[in-house]
Amino acid sequence: MAAIRLHNVGKAYGQQEVVRSVNVTIAEGELLAFLGPSGCGKTSTLRMIAGLDEVTTGEVWFDHRLMNDVAAGRRNVGMVFQNYALYPHMTVFDNLAIGLRWRGAGRADARRQVEAIAELLDLGSLLARRPKELSGGERQRVALGRALIKQPAVSLMDEPLSNLDAVLRERMRMELARLHQRLPVTTVYVTHDQAEALTLADRVAVMQGGDVRQVGTPLEIYNRPADSFVAGFVGSPGMNLFTRSWTVDGDSILLEGALRLPRELLDQVGSSGPTVTVGLRPEHLAPAAGDAPVELRCHVETVEHLGSHQQVHARLGDPTGPRLIARIDARMVVSRGAGLVLTAPTEAVHLFHPATTQRIEPAPAAPVAPPLPRPRAAADASRSPAAGLARSQGRSA
Amino acid sequence: MSLRIPLTRGRVRQRLGDWGRGATTRRLSARRVRDHLAAYGLLFPALAVFTVFFYIPAVYLLYIAFFRWTILSPGTTFVGFQNFRILFEQPLFWGSLATSAYYTLVMIPATVLLALGIALLLRAGLSARRGGLWRGAVFLPHVTPVVATSIIWVWIFNPHFGLANAVLSAVHLPQLLWLESVQWALPAVMIDSLWHSLGLYVIIFLAALSTVPRDLLEVARLDGARRQQVFARIIWPLISPTTFLVVLLATVNSWQAFSQIFTMTGGPHGGAGGPAFSTTTDALLVYQTAFIYGNFSLAAAMSLILFAIVMSITVVQKWISDRLVFYR
């Protein structure tokens, strides 16, 4: 097992930069997920770690060894591809064994290792079959087995669950989590599915446009997004973001009449200049009952009833204002076309600089991570609170 | 008292429905007939050409192989297997079979190895933009007329002032008599045939190589496979259907090879096929027997044997391929 350090890693094809100066350290045994929309450079980063693509700039280190010029075959990397990339003309046994044989293992030794990994991944009954005789989940397990059988220093996974249907994907996600607990190999996991990233990863690196926007634990990413892109991308639906000019109105800060914030946020709001970007998660909004320190006046456009809750699609202020989504209690009566006043706890207000998109941190005295006002899922005893949080998001995604 | 069944709305609908169904069936079958007529109409020109120039001669060939039928006596004397008996007693016939076999046995591996080798080189060494130019260059000989280019090859193999001997002497190798030597006449024809046919097979192999998923090659790279291991265990099995196709085409084309052999060693060299019949393949002997010696029934018997040989080889190849070729 090895720790990975990416130092200013960049990739360009001609003039087109697909990855810009990525700096991430992945500890030994850690599972780090690169999360981002398509084309954000996450797969390119993974391929540079694997050695399948050369880095244009920067350095890739495994422990204390610079890997830039080390061939892919000598990096001891196990990789799971999006479409599994199983050798179609070989049996499951040969798919698992051939890598070992290429690396010089004897026939008996290879057989022993194949049997061991087959037992771990429950592949024993499939060893004589060819890939086309396997189901999607079985192929996925074989691909996983092939990546792990050589006891790699680093395991790389490129959207390994994206070819599975929703039910199987959720089950394999749990299996992957369990497997990582049993075999804590340093793993880099690329996905565009935030439920996967947040449930599986020890830390998540959110990427956009070739840049890493934030690296942190799932809880940090969710609770303290580093910029407005991360805020809008993580969460389902993502955070509501409004960029408005502000004025002080007595004990409140008024943003173009429709949004009221408490005066205690004045230092933060003031530091951003004449306009500020306010972020509020849909699940933190609720219809106001009486005066509240945070207040949003909005105009309801549509209401989606989703059983456990309802999703209100509205416009801030008048019917031409910016769109927002609120996830509120299913029992509340909200009518389409009517006005609605929403509120949220002050701790749930996120502020971002409109020009730099960076998060505006509260004054040092303020609590670092605001507690969630209404946690939607009980924390799993075996996992971190972040896992519980993300799982609830996964279900709603 | 008559029993009257009231005509309810349901019954009316049922009757109308039946009537409607009948009409639909009639309409559909009329349309089907029209479709069939159109299809056969479109097929007719091709079918007519094939029938006149292929099927009728093929059946007629089967017929005259069992008769005595020469240009002087296009007779109707039934001779049974006598034509075949005559052939089997002729050393020249056995010699022509041996020459055909030699030609085919060299051409098949040479075609596969060279075409695949060139395809691999083109794939590995060329950018997509220049690739088109090189692919075109490799394919170009295939679109040239065989007879015309074979005449050029006769000049190239001229022992006194030909390019082939110039190259040999440039690399300090002994000069050869080429088309004038028993030993080298057929190899010279093979070189011409390879030059002419390889382009097609290179393109076929290039297409096959492009279907090998890149992921598989990358997995193999990550597993530490060496280049030759990747080829032997991944690429070769995955392109095996194409290799089989190339072997099949090369077999049939080699057994039937005629134009280049005739042009290089037949016509201008007395029509006998190389010095001392050294390039007289089965196909050439069929031509000579029929059109130079005028013995059509003997040539027909020979063609039948040629057909049987190619057919048997193909069946055996198919049998082998079913066991060795991997179809995705």
Side-chain angles (χ1 to χ4, degrees), chain A residues 96-247:
Chain A
L96 294 170
I98 194 157
L100 298 173
R101 301 278 291 142
W102 278 334
R103 293 153 70 90
R107 207 176 286 270
D109 187 29
R111 173 167 290 280
R112 211 181 50 248
Q113 290 190 58
V114 169
E115 279 162 4
I117 202 89
E119 197 189 321
L120 179 75
L121 292 169
D122 197 18
L123 295 170
S125 59
L126 310 174
L127 289 176
R129 294 203 201 161
R130 290 218 176 134
K132 71 173 171 195
E133 297 159 343
L134 303 177
S135 69
E138 289 166 344
R139 282 178 209 185
Q140 218 278 334
R141 292 211 305 272
V142 177
L144 204 60
R146 190 176 56 183
L148 294 177
I149 196 167
K150 54 183 182 180
Q151 296 169 334
V154 169
S155 164
L156 306 175
M157 304 198 183
D158 186 8
E159 311 228 11
L161 306 184
S162 62
N163 278 8
L164 302 177
D165 63 54
V167 177
L168 202 53
R169 194 180 313 152
E170 198 157 332
R171 211 174 68 207
M172 285 308 294
R173 209 165 67 199
M174 292 307 157
E175 278 194 35
L176 278 179
R178 214 168 45 228
L179 193 68
H180 187 67
Q181 278 174 349
R182 286 180 67 182
L183 285 177
V185 180
T186 311
T187 304
V188 182
Y189 191 104
V190 160
T191 180
H192 65 269
D193 181 340
Q194 51 178 302
E196 271 172 41
L198 299 178
T199 43
L200 286 171
D202 298 311
R203 283 187 309 146
V204 178
V206 183
M207 288 189 78
Q208 193 229 357
D211 292 313
V212 171
R213 305 302 284 257
Q214 185 174 8
V215 184
T217 64
L219 209 57
E220 283 168 354
I221 299 277
Y222 179 80
N223 283 338
R224 293 184 51 198
D227 61 26
S228 52
F229 169 77
V230 177
F233 186 72
V234 176
S236 75
M239 191 182 281
N240 297 301
L241 295 161
F242 317 105
T243 300
R244 305 310 254 179
S245 58
W246 57 274
T247 50

Side-chain angles (χ1 to χ4, degrees), chain B:
Chain B
M1 203 171 85
S2 65
L3 192 70
R4 295 185 64 176
I5 301 171
L7 205 61
T8 60
R9 194 180 294 177
R11 274 179 207 285
V12 170
R13 195 178 299 141
Q14 194 183 349
R15 284 190 190 177
L16 281 174
D18 286 343
W19 179 78
R21 251 200 304 284
T24 314
T25 316
R26 272 199 300 278
R27 208 165 48 236
L28 268 184
S29 66
R31 186 201 284 171
R32 202 171 298 154
V33 168
R34 256 204 325 275
D35 284 353
H36 281 218
L37 279 177
Y40 283 113
L42 290 167
L43 278 173
F44 178 75
L47 271 178
V49 171
F50 264 90
T51 306
V52 172
F53 292 102
F54 185 79
Y55 295 117
I56 292 176
V59 172
Y60 195 58
L61 179 141
L62 196 65
Y63 167 76
I64 63 174
F66 295 93
F67 285 78
R68 184 191 305 283
W69 206 105
T70 67
I71 197 141
L72 297 175
S73 61
T76 49
T77 323
F78 180 76
V79 293
F81 286 94
Q82 200 192 346
N83 288 324
F84 296 91
R85 209 172 302 130
I86 293 169
L87 282 179
F88 291 145
E89 285 165 3
Q90 285 289 325
L92 186 59
F93 173 70
W94 290 109
S96 76
L97 284 185
T99 307
S100 289
Y102 169 44
Y103 182 81
T104 306
L105 285 175
V106 174
M107 285 296 283
I108 294 171
T111 300
V112 171
L113 288 178
L114 286 172
L116 184 54
I118 293 170
L120 285 169
L121 282 176
L122 281 178
R123 197 173 146 76
L126 292 172
S127 68
R129 207 182 319 166
R130 273 180 304 160
L133 187 72
W134 282 96
R135 275 197 299 274
V138 170
F139 189 67
L140 209 55
H142 190 69
V143 296
T144 58
V146 182
V147 174
T149 48
S150 292
I151 291 170
I152 295 171
W153 278 99
V154 170
W155 288 97
I156 290 174
F157 287 121
N158 186 297
H160 310 295
F161 48 80
L163 193 64
N165 272 349
V167 171
L168 287 181
S169 72
V171 293
H172 305 294
L173 285 173
Q175 307 221 335
L176 301 171
L177 286 174
W178 293 114
L179 297 171
E180 292 172 18
S181 110
V182 172
Q183 200 184 348
W184 287 101
L186 199 59
V189 176
M190 288 171 186
I191 291 170
D192 170 22
S193 300
L194 279 173
W195 172 83
H196 193 268
S197 63
L198 270 185
L200 176 69
Y201 300 123
V202 170
I203 298 295
I204 293 175
F205 271 125
L206 272 175
L209 288 173
S210 70
T211 67
V212 176
R214 207 176 72 158
D215 288 357
L216 297 188
L217 305 179
E218 289 180 340
V219 171
R221 253 174 83 193
L222 286 171
D223 278 343
R226 286 191 294 274
R227 206 172 283 231
Q228 61 271 30
Q229 288 170 325
V230 173
F231 178 79
R233 296 302 307 270
I234 314 294
I235 296 175
W236 179 254
L238 289 180
I239 64 166
S240 57
T242 302
T243 311
F244 174 62
L245 173 75
V246 168
V247 167
L248 213 63
L249 289 175
T251 307
V252 174
N253 288 341
S254 300
W255 272 106
Q256 296 181 341
F258 176 79
S259 309
Q260 60 273 47
I261 303 175
F262 179 79
T263 313
M264 288 179 77
T265 64
H269 290 74
F277 301 102
S278 59
T279 65
T280 306
T281 56
D282 204 24
L284 207 65
L285 195 62
V286 169
Y287 167 80
Q288 286 166 348
T289 309
F291 298 106
I292 293 178
Y293 304 117
N295 195 333
F296 287 91
S297 50
L298 214 51
M302 228 183 286
S303 297
L304 269 186
I305 293 169
L306 182 63
F307 170 75
I309 290 171
V310 174
M311 189 72 189
S312 331
I313 292 173
T314 310
V315 168
V316 171
Q317 281 173 339
K318 176 84 180 86
W319 185 82
I320 294 171
S321 87
D322 286 346
R323 277 143 194 84
L324 294 182
V325 172
F326 171 74
Y327 293 98
R328 261 179 281 179

